[in-house]
Amino acid sequence: MVTRHGDRPLTWGTTYWVTRHALPADQPLWGAVLRALPAGIVLLAVARRRPHGPWWWRSTLLGTLTTGAFFALVYVAAQLLPTSVASTVMATSPVVMMATAWLLLAQRPRVLAVAGAGLGLVGVALMLLTGSATINPWGVAAAVAAMTMSSVGFVLAARWTTDVDVVSSTAWQLLAGALVLLPVAVVVEGAPPQLDTRALIGFGYVSLMATAVAYLAWYAGLRRLPAGSVGLIGLLNPVTGVLLGTLVAAEPLTGQQIGGVVLVLLGVLLGQPAIARLTRRHATTGRLSPRTGEGRRPRPAGAGSAPTWSGSPGAPRPSGTRSPARRSTAGSSAAGGSEPTSSSCSCLHDRPCATTHR
């Protein structure tokens, strides 16, 4: 399950690096619009459905929380903070998602999921915080706001999107977020930026791969897993950033970073529902004795018994049949009949009964 729904963190982990090295640094609002709008248009062309009923205002709200304001704040954080610091702040999102899902969806956080979130956060800190990064408080504030707003939006989306296919709901949210942000970008930043070839390639990547494809995988995961478990998969985001820096920028991978990567992977694995089910099954098996742990299947009626022969007294009984059961009542004993013995037991078998009737 981590592999199936981990596409978004794996691709989104590259967003900080691409934004910082390929996209314009002075127009974050337009950067968010140019990221969300093409992705929404592509998905809407695939879905071919328009919003209906309450989905007009739901799309606007969710699009603002998870797309419009979120992308703008992430853009600001990526420009003001080193990739390591921005990724570390965003790595706290699983905890926020668990708390929000508890309040809005009554999904009480599981102990293993909380432990996995803590382990993963420690791994992210070991992996990214080396003590040499310069921290801009405005960048930290932007990252915290982006993480909080997106967590609330994702939990609300998990609550509302059960009656709509994932492609349509994702397209509506991306388009709504882009359209809400578009007039703000025009008023605040003026005309859209002039894009060179490098920027066009960068926007094409973050729009189609790190937004359209990644958000589809993310929302599909929210429909099948608890919100806290999906949030834990987001810890793969900084892992991707570190590995990308090593592969593309030839940054050295230290032993501390390797240890952090291992802790993150263990935290993500620990918080998945499959591990919780395996733990419960093991604990239940351990409490049962060998005899009661296996359980016994009920014996079908008549299984293993020969058919009853009801011929006349004295007639030869055919092979493979059993004698009819004889009853012993209190009345027969009172009438002078003998007490039933093991040879005249009323049990439904031919062998002597092991009990003595009184």
Side-chain angles (χ1 to χ4, degrees), residues 257-283:
Q257 288 177 318
I258 294 175
V261 170
V262 172
L263 289 180
V264 169
L265 296 178
L266 289 177
V268 173
L269 182 63
L270 186 64
Q272 298 309 303
I275 300 300
R277 290 193 297 268
L278 182 62
T279 304
R280 287 195 301 267
R281 188 181 303 117
H282 179 73

Side-chain angles (χ1 to χ4, degrees), residues 30-43 63 66-68 71 170-171 173-179 181 203 206-208 211-212:
W30 273 112
V33 171
L34 294 176
R35 176 184 176 183
L37 188 59
I41 292 174
V42 170
L43 292 181
T66 64
T67 304
F71 284 175
T170 305
Q173 292 177 60
L174 291 174
L175 281 175
L179 294 177
L181 197 59
F203 272 119
V206 298
S207 180
L208 296 180
T211 304

Side-chain angles (χ1 to χ4, degrees), residues 85-119:
V85 178
S87 298
T88 302
V89 175
M90 295 299 295
T92 61
S93 61
V95 179
V96 178
M97 286 189 67
M98 288 180 193
T100 307
W102 192 0
L103 293 175
L104 299 181
L105 304 180
Q107 293 181 357
R108 187 171 183 176
R110 295 178 291 106
V111 175
L112 289 179
V114 176
L119 189 65

Side-chain angles (χ1 to χ4, degrees), residues 1-16 70 83-84 86-98 113 116-121 123-125 127-128 147 150-151 154 214-215 217-219 221-222 225-242 260-261 263-272:
M1 194 67 73
V2 172
T3 302
R4 180 178 180 181
H5 301 301
D7 296 340
R8 176 183 184 269
L10 292 178
T11 54
W12 205 20
T14 63
T15 303
Y16 297 110
F70 174 64
T83 301
S84 60
S87 298
T88 302
V89 175
M90 295 299 295
T92 61
S93 61
V95 179
V96 178
M97 286 189 67
M98 288 180 193
L119 189 65
L121 188 57
V124 170
M127 186 171 49
L128 301 179
M147 177 264 299
S150 64
S151 297
F154 291 142
Y215 266 69
W218 184 261
Y219 284 122
L222 283 174
L225 296 172
S229 298
V230 179
L232 278 174
I233 300 175
L235 291 173
L236 297 176
N237 177 3
V239 173
T240 306
V242 169
V261 170
L263 289 180
V264 169
L265 296 178
L266 289 177
V268 173
L269 182 63
L270 186 64
Q272 298 309 303

Side-chain angles (χ1 to χ4, degrees), residues 17 239-252:
W17 191 90
V239 173
T240 306
V242 169
L243 297 180
L244 183 67
T246 301
L247 296 176
V248 176
E251 297 175 357

